[in-house]
């Protein structure tokens, strides 16, 4: 029970960080007319570069920055671009569609993560996991319904189809990034993941900033209040990126994305005091419904089937490639691992 509650609590810390990101972004865009999503992401990637990429640079041996780049540079380059564009597409969607549409369609990241985990990480789920996922999504639907009832459908809603497609694209890229992150932090290291994201993220977001947002950045009415908001945004974003690999390693990418469903509710509760949003009892119902779904999902372990015929390593082999024998039947192994509640002993089962 202690580990179960800890897993749920860790996910809620991530949600609170996302709440801070949303609040600072709202103040910047609405109160100070500073619409600079690429620049805000660029600041985060620069912080990751200064902390984690430099850490890799001073390491020795196989964990050194140059050694990692020599073996896996193109994979991290693709992952960096995916991470940048996932953030950009979802933020851009707010210009075309409503807040409710973004909240609902952003849930598309959950089936994306489940499918990618099933086929590439070979994670296998039990019935209780799917029940927990459905309960979480029902809670999210309850929140969207409350938004409609109290009239909180913020956003222009013009060119809604474009906005909805942008959200779906961003959610898909988020799913790809999260599953890759789970594999890397489990098999390589958290510092390597963050250092490479910082390196390629700062490079490519800097290029995107120079091309798409340099004029908007010049329009920002700089003063100490705007400076504090940018600092607050960067601190929350840096904390989110630094802490998320820890939570993903203890739980899973799917569990983390289910936990993040409560982030919109935390933003709403803050908005009741800061922006005078209207309150509805359905918001509380939604919050507790999502928490119940999280507890259901985390109450039992998933398991990982490791089959040498389909499991592809992210790490490059250091030695010569050895072909698997073609004669005889290959036996995949199924290993139960604790992605939710920890157990004293984890059974290992061999299946034909």
């Amino acid at each position: 029970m202690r580990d179960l509650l800890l897993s749920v609590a860790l996910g809620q810390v991530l949600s609170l960080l996302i709440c801070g990101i949303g609040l600072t972004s709202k103040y910047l865009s609405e109160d100070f007319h500073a619409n600079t999503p690429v620049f805000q992401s660029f600041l985060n990637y620069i912080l990751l570069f200064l902390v984690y990429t430099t850490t890799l640079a001073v390491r020795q041996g196989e964990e050194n920055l140059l050694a990692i780049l020599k073996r896996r540079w193109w994979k991290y380059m693709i992952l960096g671009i995916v991470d940048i564009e996932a953030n950009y597409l979802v933020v851009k969607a707010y210009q075309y569609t409503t807040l409710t549409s973004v909240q609902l369609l952003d849930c598309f990241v959950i089936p994306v993560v489940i499918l990618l985990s099933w086929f590439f990480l070979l994670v296998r789920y039990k019935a209780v996991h799917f029940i927990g996922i459905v309960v979480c999504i029902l809670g999210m639907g309850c929140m969207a319904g409350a938004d409609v009832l109290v009239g909180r459908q913020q956003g222009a809603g013009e060119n809604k189809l474009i906005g909805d497609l942008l959200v779906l694209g961003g959610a898909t890229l988020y799913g790809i990034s999260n599953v890759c992150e789970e594999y890397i932090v489990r098999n390589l290291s958290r510092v390597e993941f963050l250092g490479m994201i910082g390196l390629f993220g700062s490079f490519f977001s800097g290029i995107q900033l120079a091309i798409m947002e340099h004029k908007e950045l010049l329009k920002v009415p700089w003063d100490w209040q705007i400076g504090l908001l940018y600092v607050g945004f960067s601190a929350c974003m840096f904390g989110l990126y630094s802490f998320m690999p820890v939570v993903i390693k203890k739980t899973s990418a799917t569990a983390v994305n289910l936990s993040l469903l409560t982030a919109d509710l935390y933003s709403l509760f803050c908005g009741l005091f800061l922006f005078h949003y209207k309150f509805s009892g359905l918001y509380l119902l939604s919050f507790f419904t999502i928490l119940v779904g999280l507890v259901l999902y985390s109450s039992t372990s998933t398991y990982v089937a490791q089959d040498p015929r389909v499991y592809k390593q992210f790490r490059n082999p250091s030695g010569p490639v050895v072909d698997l024998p073609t004669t005889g039947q290959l036996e995949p192994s199924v290993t139960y691992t604790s992605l939710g509640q920890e157990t004293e002993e984890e059974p290992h089962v061999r299946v034909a």
Side-chain angles (χ1 to χ4, degrees):
M1 178 60 70
R2 180 173 175 271
D3 292 314
L4 171 62
L5 294 177
L6 179 61
S7 298
V8 174
L10 289 174
Q12 296 315 293
V13 173
L14 296 178
S15 282
L16 287 171
L17 288 170
I18 291 182
C19 173
I21 292 169
L23 289 176
T24 51
S25 294
K26 181 177 177 62
Y27 273 116
L28 283 168
S29 62
E30 294 191 3
D31 290 11
F32 297 95
H33 306 289
N35 297 305
T36 57
V38 178
F39 176 66
Q40 290 165 228
S41 296
F42 176 71
L43 292 177
N44 172 58
Y45 291 124
I46 288 295
L47 288 175
L48 293 176
F49 177 87
L50 293 175
V51 175
Y52 296 105
T53 309
T54 54
T55 300
L56 292 177
V58 299
R59 284 184 172 180
Q60 303 295 323
E62 292 297 307
E63 294 185 348
N64 178 264
L65 176 63
L66 294 178
I68 295 171
L69 287 173
K70 184 177 180 181
R71 296 193 304 272
R72 297 185 281 273
W73 69 270
W74 64 272
K75 299 176 183 179
Y76 283 118
M77 181 184 71
I78 295 173
L79 184 56
I81 294 173
V82 167
D83 191 74
I84 293 168
E85 299 311 319
N87 291 322
Y88 178 75
L89 289 178
V90 173
V91 172
K92 191 71 174 176
Y94 282 98
Q95 298 180 15
Y96 298 99
T97 189
T98 61
L99 173 66
T100 302
S101 292
V102 173
Q103 290 171 340
L104 288 175
L105 293 174
D106 202 33
C107 294
F108 186 67
V109 68
I110 295 172
V112 171
V113 169
I114 291 173
L115 288 174
L116 292 176
S117 297
W118 181 283
F119 288 107
F120 294 100
L121 300 184
L122 302 182
V123 175
R124 298 296 180 259
Y125 302 93
K126 302 174 186 177
V128 68
H129 295 121
F130 291 108
I131 294 173
I133 291 168
V134 170
V135 171
C136 285
I137 294 177
L138 285 175
M140 198 66 189
C142 182
M143 185 188 70
D147 283 344
V148 174
L149 290 176
V150 301
R152 201 176 73 93
Q153 297 193 70
Q154 297 165 346
E158 300 175 0
N159 297 315
K160 194 171 183 297
L161 178 60
I162 295 176
D164 292 347
L165 291 176
L166 289 174
V167 178
L168 291 175
T172 301
L173 294 180
Y174 272 133
I176 294 171
S177 177
N178 288 164
V179 171
C180 291
E181 180 176 356
E182 179 177 352
Y183 182 86
I184 294 168
V185 299
R186 289 185 184 278
N187 295 276
L188 298 170
S189 79
R190 165 180 169 270
V191 174
E192 178 175 329
F193 170 77
L194 293 173
M196 292 295 101
I197 288 293
L199 176 63
F200 289 105
S202 57
F203 178 76
F204 286 108
S205 64
I207 294 175
Q208 189 169 354
L209 172 63
I211 296 173
M212 302 178 63
E213 211 172 80
H214 65 282
K215 293 182 179 179
E216 193 68 34
L217 194 59
L218 294 174
K219 298 177 183 177
V220 175
W222 293 98
D223 60 20
W224 66 271
Q225 290 178 305
I226 290 181
L228 281 180
L229 287 172
Y230 275 116
V231 169
F233 175 91
S234 301
C236 290
M237 184 71 89
F238 179 77
L240 177 68
Y241 270 70
S242 297
F243 191 50
M244 184 177 282
V246 177
V247 184
I248 283 181
K249 188 172 183 178
K250 182 170 179 60
T251 58
S252 68
T254 305
V256 165
N257 280 284
L258 290 173
S259 298
L260 296 183
L261 293 179
T262 58
D264 289 324
L265 286 163
Y266 289 131
S267 298
L268 167 71
F269 295 146
C270 291
L272 293 174
F273 301 98
L274 298 174
F275 309 115
H276 307 292
Y277 289 161
K278 294 181 181 179
F279 178 75
S280 170
L282 288 177
Y283 289 129
L284 288 177
L285 177 62
S286 172
F287 180 74
F288 288 110
T289 301
I290 293 174
L291 288 183
V292 168
L294 285 173
V295 171
L296 284 173
Y297 183 90
S298 303
S299 63
T300 188
S301 303
T302 58
Y303 61 96
V304 178
Q306 294 181 338
D307 187 337
R309 291 171 295 185
V310 298
Y311 194 71
K312 296 181 179 180
Q313 292 287 347
F314 185 88
R315 186 193 304 271
N316 287 345
S318 57
V321 178
V322 180
D323 293 333
L324 293 172
T326 55
T327 58
Q329 185 177 4
L330 291 173
E331 293 187 358
S333 66
V334 177
T335 304
Y336 285 84
T337 62
S338 180
L339 298 183
Q341 191 173 8
E342 299 289 340
T343 56
E344 291 294 329
E345 295 182 1
E346 297 175 348
H348 297 269
V349 182
R350 304 285 294 186
V351 296

